[in-house]
Amino acid sequence: MSEASAWRPSAGLAAIRRRAEFLAQIRHFFGARGVLEVDTPILLPTASTDPALSSFRVTAAERSERFLQTSPEFAMKRLLAAGCGDIYQVCHVFRREDPSRIHLEEFSLLEWYRVGFDHHRLMDELVDLLDAVGFERAIARYSFAELCMRWTGLDPHRASTSELAAFARTEGARFETADYADRAMLLDFVFGIGILSRVSEMGAFFIYDFPTEHLAYARIRAGDPPVAERFELVIDGIEIANGFQEVVDAPEQRARQLREIARRRAYGLPEPMLDEALLAALESGLPRCAGVALGVDRLLMILTASEKIADVVAFGCN
């Protein structure tokens, strides 16, 4: 792009109009179902504890540091604990990661929570939303174990750590020696390389009931084996949405975040403070609920058959 045209939007006018229509469709969908739109701060006192995420830090000489949100999750859960009921939000989030065809450091997220839903019922509602915005393809559903065994021959719940490590080495992993004993990292590699890299021809599908090593903030369903009640939506090899049957127990939430901080410490990453406001909200009582975060830009890219996210964002090249 020449200097003379560098000021121009990265998206064309047709794409900008389609984006406005798309957002209106989302709001109409939730309005018709009685789901309340909310608006929470993007500038937060704490960073994400998730080892996979890197937060942007904002500092000012006269104030303590603040962080740009990677998700509105914690603030929305405080609203749920306060009795707001079913809620949704469309907002900008920020994650420090190299920009690519399917990622920008600042992007739009749709996140919603449904009281009394489990993750399967939330998948049903996500299908309804996709239909409402013009996505007309069928969406299959597979458990994590089903796809893992199909593509790698491994049972992710019962395979030994040494079996997972052997698979990673066979697929060309170049981990530090100690990482080959990290079951969560190995399963993440299996998911990314053994599954996601091989499913572009599968079209659109949900993958659900993850190994407990990938539970994040999902509730664990007891059984043989126990599973994390979460799901992801994948379309043409791109992760579009991530949903959970949410943890509502404050001590369990605290323990999980402390484990995340310990993992960050082990890998030399910044160690954020716990969000004590969230934990206090859970102590007061979070209703049984399920929640999902959906990448607005990625879905719009697919709906418009665009090559990259910058084509559907007004200024995706800045």
Side-chain angles (χ1 to χ4, degrees):
M1 182 182 295
S2 67
E3 282 191 29
S5 60
W7 62 269
R8 300 192 65 84
S10 59
L13 294 181
I16 291 171
R17 293 189 182 100
R18 179 64 182 96
R19 185 182 184 90
E21 176 190 34
F22 178 56
L23 294 173
Q25 289 170 329
I26 290 172
R27 289 188 165 94
H28 180 268
F29 176 86
F30 286 113
R33 296 185 174 216
V35 182
L36 179 68
E37 182 173 10
V38 296
D39 183 21
T40 59
I42 64 171
L43 194 61
L44 306 176
T46 58
S48 173
T49 57
D50 186 339
L53 300 180
S54 181
S55 302
F56 279 98
R57 183 176 63 180
V58 180
T59 59
E62 68 278 8
R63 296 195 61 187
S64 59
E65 62 185 7
R66 295 289 186 270
F67 301 89
L68 295 175
Q69 68 174 356
T70 58
S71 163
E73 176 181 0
F74 289 0
M76 293 182 77
K77 286 180 175 177
R78 289 167 63 185
L79 290 174
L80 287 166
C84 277
D86 299 325
I87 54 176
Y88 82 98
Q89 181 170 186
V90 180
C91 61
H92 283 215
V93 297
F94 307 81
R95 298 179 184 180
R96 293 183 62 184
E97 184 178 324
D98 290 338
S100 70
R101 184 179 74 85
I102 60 171
H103 177 74
L104 297 173
E105 291 180 312
E106 177 183 357
F107 60 96
S108 294
L109 202 65
L110 164 63
E111 191 153 331
W112 77 95
Y113 293 85
R114 291 293 237 145
V115 175
F117 277 35
D118 63 11
H119 62 309
H120 288 284
R121 190 174 174 191
L122 195 58
M123 281 189 275
D124 294 338
E125 183 163 69
L126 178 47
V127 171
D128 292 342
L129 173 65
L130 292 172
D131 181 65
V133 299
F135 185 82
E136 299 176 345
R137 294 153 61 183
I139 303 176
R141 302 189 188 193
Y142 306 99
S143 71
F144 189 104
E146 181 181 357
L147 280 187
C148 191
M149 287 187 283
R150 175 189 298 186
W151 292 103
T152 71
L154 295 168
D155 181 336
H157 305 294
R158 295 185 171 88
S160 67
T161 302
S162 60
E163 288 173 321
L164 295 174
F167 173 84
R169 289 189 176 95
T170 299
E171 292 293 323
R174 295 292 184 268
F175 295 153
E176 298 292 330
T177 300
D179 294 338
Y180 285 102
D182 186 331
R183 190 174 179 85
M185 177 174 284
L186 291 170
L187 282 168
D188 195 46
F189 180 85
V190 169
F191 180 60
I193 301 299
I195 298 177
L196 286 184
S197 67
R198 301 179 180 181
V199 295
S200 59
E201 70 274 17
M202 292 178 61
F205 65 94
F206 288 108
I207 180 169
Y208 64 90
D209 286 355
F210 280 62
T212 54
E213 290 86 355
H214 285 176
L215 50 80
Y217 304 144
R219 191 178 71 170
I220 295 176
R221 184 176 72 244
D224 184 21
V227 296
E229 293 185 317
R230 58 174 290 202
F231 67 84
E232 290 191 8
L233 171 64
V234 179
I235 302 177
D236 299 335
I238 301 172
E239 295 174 69
I240 300 297
N242 192 11
F244 303 87
Q245 172 78 43
E246 302 289 347
V247 168
V248 299
D249 180 74
E252 175 64 18
Q253 177 74 24
R254 181 182 293 273
R256 292 192 190 186
Q257 288 189 258
L258 287 173
R259 286 197 294 271
E260 287 182 331
I261 292 172
R263 284 180 61 80
R264 294 182 71 92
R265 182 182 308 119
Y267 289 102
L269 300 173
E271 298 176 38
M273 299 184 300
L274 292 176
D275 188 330
E276 294 293 347
L278 168 71
L279 296 170
L282 267 63
E283 287 282 4
S284 74
L286 185 69
R288 181 176 176 271
C289 60
V292 58
L294 180 150
V296 169
D297 311 315
R298 286 184 175 183
L299 179 56
L300 187 56
M301 183 181 74
I302 288 169
L303 289 172
T304 58
S306 298
E307 288 296 317
K308 57 187 182 299
I309 279 185
D311 293 338
V312 297
V313 175
F315 295 101
C317 299
N318 290 356

